DNA sequence: CATTAATTTCATTATTTATTGAAACTTGAG
DNA sequence: CTCAAGTTTCAATAAATAATGAAATTAATG
C-alpha cells in the first residue's frame, strides 16, 4: 500500500509538526498516517509506508498508546496486531490537550504549591513569591477551566464553540442578570 | 548577586520545563530568572547566575525577544543593556500562547486549506480529505476562539475565568433565551 | 576619530535525542 | 512442548540541537 502524493505530503507535514505538538517526527508521521488511512494498519505496513525500522514503529506505538491516541485491533485468524486511531479527531485533540496539560502545567503547579507553603526569608524571596503566586493562580485558573470544558456535554461544548464572538455579549448579559438579583 | 536555594530551584525547574513550553532549557531558565528578579539584569549577570556563556545569553535574549517576553532598559550613564520581563505574568502567558498557536496550528491550517481546495482523485484521498476536513474545522474553531479571547476586555475575561463551573449554567440560560426569541 | 565597553556571530564542540537492527522475548497453533 | 510468527528491547550509531568562546561588530565616550 503506497500513499498518494497528497496524502504523503500530509503525513510528512505531521512529521514536521510532530515535535511542536509534543512528540517527535516519526510519531507525528505515524499519527497522521493512521488518521488518514481508512483501514487499521499493521506495524510492518507502517514501517513500510514511512520507510522506518520495525523497532522504531514499536517504540512509536508505545508512545502513541501512552497518549491514548491509538487502539489495537485483531482480525480473526490473523495473529498480527492492527492499529487505528482511538477515537474521533475531536477525541484525539482532547487527549493531546489533556496529556500536554499534564506535562506542561501540572509539574509547575506542584512545584509552586510547595514553594508557596514555605515562608519567604528575605526580600528577594518575597518578591519571587509574589510572582510565583501570580503564576500559580494563572495555572490554577487554566486547570480549572480545562477540567470544566471536559465536563461539559458535547452539545454544550458545541453550543459554546459556535458562540464565537457572541461570548462577550453573553457575558455582559450574565453580569446584568447577576447585578439585578 | 546569587539566588537563594528556593529561587534557584524555581529557575532550574523553569529550565526543565523549557522545552515543554516551546523553548529550550537555557531559555526557560532565563525566563524564570528574569521573572523572579525584581531588578532588570544585564546579560553578564544572567550568564553568571546561570553559569552559562555570554554568547549563549545573547542567543537566548534574541529568542526571548522574538517571543516578545522581555524588554530592554537603559540606566543613564551606563551603557549596558538591562533586561526585564515585557509585561505581567498574564501578558507573558498570552504571548506564549499566541506564539505557540502561530507555530503549532497556523502552518497545519494553511496546509489543510490548500489540500482541501484540490479535488480527491480516488477513494483513499476521499477518505483522507474527510479526516482533514474535520481537523481543519477543529483548528479553525480553536483559532476563532483564541482570537475571540484576545478581543475580550480584561474585565470580561476575568468574569469569564471566574465563571468556572458556572459556564454550563450560563450556556443553558443562553439557549433558553435564544429559543424564546 | 580613536578607544573601549558591550554585544553579536558563528565555527567548533558537547549534549541530547532519535533510529537502527539483531537478539530476546511473547504468544498462539499444532 | 516446539515451532514460528510477531513484538519488544536495547546497545550501538546517527542525527539534531544546544553551548562555548574567540573574533567580528556595534556603539557610546571623550
Amino acid at each position: 500500500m503506497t500513499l498518494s502524493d497528497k496524502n504523503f505530503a500530509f503525513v510528512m507535514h505531521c512529521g514536521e509538526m510532530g515535535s511542536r505538538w509534543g512528540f517527535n517526527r516519526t510519531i507525528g508521521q505515524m499519527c497522521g498516517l493512521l488518521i488518514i488511512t481508512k483501514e487499521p494498519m499493521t506495524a510492518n505496513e507502517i514501517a513500510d509506508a514511512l520507510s522506518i525500522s520495525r523497532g522504531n514503529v514499536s517504540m512509536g506505538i508505545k508512545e502513541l498508546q501512552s497518549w491514548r491516541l491509538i487502539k489495537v485491533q485483531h482480525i480473526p485468524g490473523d495473529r498480527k496486531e492492527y492499529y487505528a486511531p482511538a477515537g474521533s479527531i475531536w477525541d484525539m485533540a482532547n487527549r493531546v490537550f489533556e496529556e500536554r496539560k499534564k506535562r506542561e502545567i501540572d509539574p509547575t503547579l506542584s512545584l509552586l504549591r510547595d514553594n508557596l507553603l514555605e515562608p519567604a526569608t528575605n526580600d528577594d524571596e518575597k518578591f519571587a513569591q509574589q510572582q510565583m503566586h501570580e503564576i500559580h493562580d494563572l495555572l490554577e485558573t487554566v486547570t480549572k477551566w480545562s477540567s470544566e470544558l471536559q465536563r461539559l456535554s458535547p452539545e454544550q461544548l458545541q453550543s459554546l464553540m459556535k458562540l464565537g464572538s457572541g461570548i462577550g455579549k453573553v457575558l455582559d448579559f450574565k453580569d446584568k442578570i447577576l447585578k439585578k438579583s
Side-chain angles (χ1 to χ4, degrees), chain A:
Chain A
M1 209 235 21
T2 36
L3 291 164
S4 78
D5 283 1
K6 276 165 70 181
N7 287 355
F8 185 73
F10 172 76
V11 171
M12 289 301 116
H13 174 85
C14 291
E16 301 310 323
M17 301 301 287
S19 59
R20 300 187 182 178
W21 293 339
F23 10 87
N24 65 33
R25 178 151 26 97
T26 305
I27 290 174
Q29 290 174 351
M30 290 177 56
C31 193
L33 177 64
L34 289 173
I35 285 175
I36 61 162
T37 303
K38 195 167 193 171
E39 302 302 325
M41 299 181 78
T42 64
N44 280 320
E45 287 172 343
I46 296 171
D48 284 355
L50 303 178
S51 313
I52 58 177
S53 73
R54 187 54 238 285
N56 201 0
V57 173
S58 187
M59 308 279 236
I61 286 168
K62 220 169 65 178
E63 179 77 2
L64 283 170
Q65 279 172 331
S66 88
W67 286 76
R68 294 174 304 151
L69 290 174
I70 60 173
K71 64 183 172 192
V72 187
Q73 287 181 341
H74 285 273
I75 292 182
D78 183 345
R79 63 205 261 191
K80 288 191 287 299
E81 314 212 281
Y82 288 79
Y83 301 96
S88 68
I89 297 296
W90 173 262
D91 291 333
M92 294 180 89
N94 250 291
R95 300 267 165 79
V96 171
F97 188 72
E98 245 182 278
E99 197 65 33
R100 282 177 63 168
K101 181 190 152 291
K102 238 185 255 168
R103 300 173 188 215
E104 298 171 11
I105 296 187
D106 293 355
T108 301
L109 207 40
S110 154
L111 177 109
L112 290 175
R113 270 200 258 271
D114 290 352
N115 185 304
L116 293 171
L117 285 177
E118 298 178 41
T121 61
N122 61 46
D123 276 6
D124 284 351
E125 290 197 349
K126 209 162 284 177
F127 179 79
Q129 278 204 341
Q130 284 170 20
Q131 296 292 82
M132 291 191 211
H133 206 279
E134 281 204 40
I135 300 173
H136 173 269
D137 288 355
L138 175 67
L139 297 184
E140 281 240 305
T141 304
V142 172
T143 298
K144 223 177 61 192
W145 257 83
S146 74
S147 74
E148 197 48 47
L149 289 182
Q150 304 278 337
R151 198 166 298 124
L152 290 181
S153 72
E155 299 78 48
Q156 282 181 312
L157 249 176
Q158 203 163 29
S159 166
L160 185 60
M161 287 298 151
K162 280 197 185 137
L163 211 48
S165 76
I167 187 69
K169 281 166 204 153
V170 172
L171 275 174
D172 293 344
F173 192 59
K174 182 217 98 200
D175 285 346
K176 258 184 239 157
I177 303 290
L178 287 186
K179 260 178 208 151
K180 269 183 195 162
S181 65

